[in-house]
């Protein structure tokens, strides 16, 4: 960067910061907020040069350098197009409650999130804390991140040309419907991180938002605590993007064959709790768990395995219908001329903007998963796609428009998983239910 200037979000004018924060809040264009300051900086940079931010193609192009995994892009495009609007006051406490309901953990909604003023797990450690990162033998500890990285001798990963394919063969049989899913990355943005002082408690790796369940089994806090005690100093434990891909949990790949009466066989990568989940939707199916070399799997990830079971049900039925999540929320989706239309029943939303934002994000994630996402994992279980760009997450330019209608009343419940399952089923149906994901 020698000889160049870098403007971060702190370097924008007060007026720019206020306007963009308001627009992002008004449209629910930020959830966890990890991606947001970078996106705002890019949009402001081009706004200053006179870019037409009401033009979808222009904004799509600007967003192609970013990944927002939470919002599904649409609300960001809306905020960019309406950044000059004067927005009415809204109760952000209610918005925060709605977001927390969806995230399954406390989540802030407000200018501090958009402007990068909230602390993520690795923003908080004291100066001088040691840094611990993973290496092949365990952990490398250094006085700085650079030092710790150097001692591992690791080079940054890259996208592989190795083909990704579902790891389980279909069960033999004469099936009406078959489905094989492969390895995919949840792709939450804030990588696992925690820090701890020798006599303290470790920081929470979930700073703002739930990582779609992806950090449920993360051991970074435990490691930070034990290494702080061992070294007698505060220690930051950091996972790189590659570490998240290699060691973070994935939804269990499966292969399924179903007869028209709903009986059949599902093979699934061995995972605690998976059998009960599949059988709760497909009670007439046999479930066989198979050991497969690969990254760890968990049913803690968004709608893991019951969304797949709902897709199979939908394929057998031949049309989209309501699906019900364990939270009690229900959703029904259809794809109509490349528009995803979703009806959602999850009680009376506490805040309609954040309700819609989470529904759009879940719908985008489902559509992207079914049509585009995969991870290459070789026969000995090593992951080869190690960069954000290699996960296949659909870019803004390739994302269909999403319409959300709330039809619920009564006590509000989390709706994201129901929307995810309904949109996954509708997307697969729309693509003609080919056996293997992603469908393209
Ligand atoms: S709000 Fe963009 S990644 Fe979470």
């Amino acid at each position: 960067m020698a000889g160049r200037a870098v403007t971060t979000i702190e370097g924008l004018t007060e007026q720019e910061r206020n306007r963009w924060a308001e627009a992002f809040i008004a449209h629910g264009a930020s959830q966890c907020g990890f991606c947001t300051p970078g996106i705002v900086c890019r949009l402001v940079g081009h706004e200053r040069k006179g870019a037409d931010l009401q033009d979808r193609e222009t904004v799509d192009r600007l967003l192609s350098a970013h990944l927002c995994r939470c919002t599904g892009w649409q609300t960001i495009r809306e905020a960019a197009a309406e950044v000059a609007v004067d927005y009415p006051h809204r109760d952000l406490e209610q918005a925060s409650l709605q977001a927390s309901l969806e995230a399954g953990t406390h989540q802030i909604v407000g200018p501090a999130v958009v402007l990068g003023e909230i602390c993520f797990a690795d923003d908080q450690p004291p100066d001088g804390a040691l840094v611990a990162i993973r290496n092949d033998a365990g952990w490398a500890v250094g006085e700085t991140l650079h030092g710790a990285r150097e001692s591992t001798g690791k080079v940054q990963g890259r996208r592989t040309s190795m083909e990704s394919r579902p790891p389980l063969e279909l069960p033999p049989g004469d099936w009406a419907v078959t489905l094989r899913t492969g390895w995919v990355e949840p792709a939450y943005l804030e990588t696992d991180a925690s820090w701890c002082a020798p006599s303290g408690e470790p920081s929470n790796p979930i700073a703002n938002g739930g990582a779609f369940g992806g950090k449920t089994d993360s051991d970074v806090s435990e490691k930070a605590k034990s290494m702080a005690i061992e070294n007698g100093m505060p220690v930051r434990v950091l996972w790189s993007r590659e570490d998240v891909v290699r060691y973070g949990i994935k939804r269990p790949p499966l292969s399924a064959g179903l007869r028209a009466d709903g009986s059949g066989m599902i093979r699934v990568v061995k995972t605690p709790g998976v059998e009960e989940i599949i059988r709760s939707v497909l009670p007439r199916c046999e479930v066989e768990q198979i050991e497969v070399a690969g990254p760890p799997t968990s049913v803690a990830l968004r709608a893991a395995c019951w969304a797949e079971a709902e897709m199979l049900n939908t394929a057998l039925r031949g049309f989209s219908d309501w699906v019900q999540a364990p939270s009690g929320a229900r959703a029904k989706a259809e794809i109509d001329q490349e528009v995803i239309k979703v009806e959602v029943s999850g009680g009376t939303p506490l805040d309609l903007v954040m309700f819609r934002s989470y529904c759009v994000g879940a719908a985008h994630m489902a559509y992207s998963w079914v049509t585009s996402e995969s991870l290459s994992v070789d026969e000995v279980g090593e992951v080869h796609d190690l960069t954000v760009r290699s996960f296949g997450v659909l870019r803004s330019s390739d994302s269909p428009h999403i319409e959300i209608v709330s039809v619920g009343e009564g006590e509000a419940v989390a709706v994201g998983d129901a929307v995810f399952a309904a949109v996954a089923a509708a997307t697969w149906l729309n693509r003609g239910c080919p056996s293997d994901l992603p469908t393209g």
Side-chain angles (χ1 to χ4, degrees), residues 53 56 59-60 63 72-81 396 399-400:
L53 299 183
R56 173 160 177 179
V59 177
D60 280 345
L63 292 177
W73 306 115
Q74 183 167 312
T75 49
I76 299 176
R77 292 194 302 266
E78 290 165 356
S396 177
S399 303

Side-chain angles (χ1 to χ4, degrees), residues 29-36 39 67-71 76 189:
S30 184
Q31 290 181 19
C32 76
F34 201 79
C35 69
T36 312
I39 289 177
L67 174 61
C68 177
R69 183 55 155 171
C70 300
T71 65
I76 299 176
L189 267 258

Side-chain angles (χ1 to χ4, degrees), residues 100-326:
S100 303
L101 190 66
E102 290 299 335
T105 182
H106 178 62
Q107 181 148 339
I108 308 161
V109 177
V113 177
V114 181
L115 299 174
E117 289 166 356
I118 59 165
C119 272
F120 288 92
D122 195 43
D123 291 331
Q124 304 160 348
D127 289 346
L130 297 175
V131 184
I133 62 169
R134 288 188 81 131
N135 65 14
D136 293 337
W139 292 87
V141 182
E143 289 184 2
T144 61
L145 179 57
H146 184 68
R149 276 201 181 130
E150 244 182 9
S151 70
T152 69
K154 278 208 287 193
V155 291
Q156 287 292 305
R158 41 181 84 148
R159 182 184 190 132
T160 178
S161 55
M162 195 181 110
E163 205 188 326
S164 59
R165 49 194 311 272
L168 294 171
E169 293 303 324
L170 284 171
D174 188 13
W175 310 115
V177 175
T178 55
L179 172 65
R180 295 198 307 161
T181 66
W183 297 104
V184 286
E185 169 59 35
Y188 48 85
L189 267 258
E190 183 198 3
T191 61
D192 302 45
S194 178
W195 73 275
C196 190
S199 57
E201 286 303 312
S203 66
N204 183 354
I206 297 177
N208 198 42
F212 322 111
K215 291 181 186 166
T216 310
D217 301 332
S218 183
D219 64 355
V220 287
S221 298
E222 198 186 298
K223 291 285 179 218
K225 182 160 187 166
S226 63
M227 281 193 265
I229 292 169
E230 203 177 297
N231 289 281
M233 283 182 72
V235 175
R236 298 157 61 191
V237 170
L238 298 179
W239 276 16
S240 65
R241 174 59 54 197
E242 290 173 40
D243 294 332
V244 177
V245 185
R246 284 197 178 106
Y247 310 117
I249 55 173
K250 314 288 176 249
R251 58 191 308 125
L254 56 75
S255 75
L258 258 66
R259 301 181 191 90
D261 65 0
S263 64
M265 163 71 86
I266 295 186
R267 292 174 165 169
V268 61
V269 172
K270 193 168 182 195
T271 308
V274 75
E275 202 166 324
E276 295 81 339
I277 287 179
I278 293 173
R279 289 177 61 79
S280 70
V281 181
L282 296 168
R284 304 189 63 196
C285 269
E286 274 180 63
V287 179
E288 186 186 0
Q289 297 199 53
I290 298 178
E291 299 264 13
V292 174
T297 54
S298 171
V299 293
L301 285 162
R302 170 168 266 170
C305 290
W306 73 263
E308 288 85 333
E310 288 291 1
M311 289 164 67
L312 287 159
N313 252 342
T314 301
L316 282 180
R317 204 170 39 229
F319 59 90
S320 292
D321 204 348
W322 289 92
V323 302
Q324 178 156 341

Side-chain angles (χ1 to χ4, degrees), residues 29 52 91 121 136 141 271 370 372:
D52 177 4
D91 183 348
D136 293 337
V141 182
T271 308
V370 171
S372 172

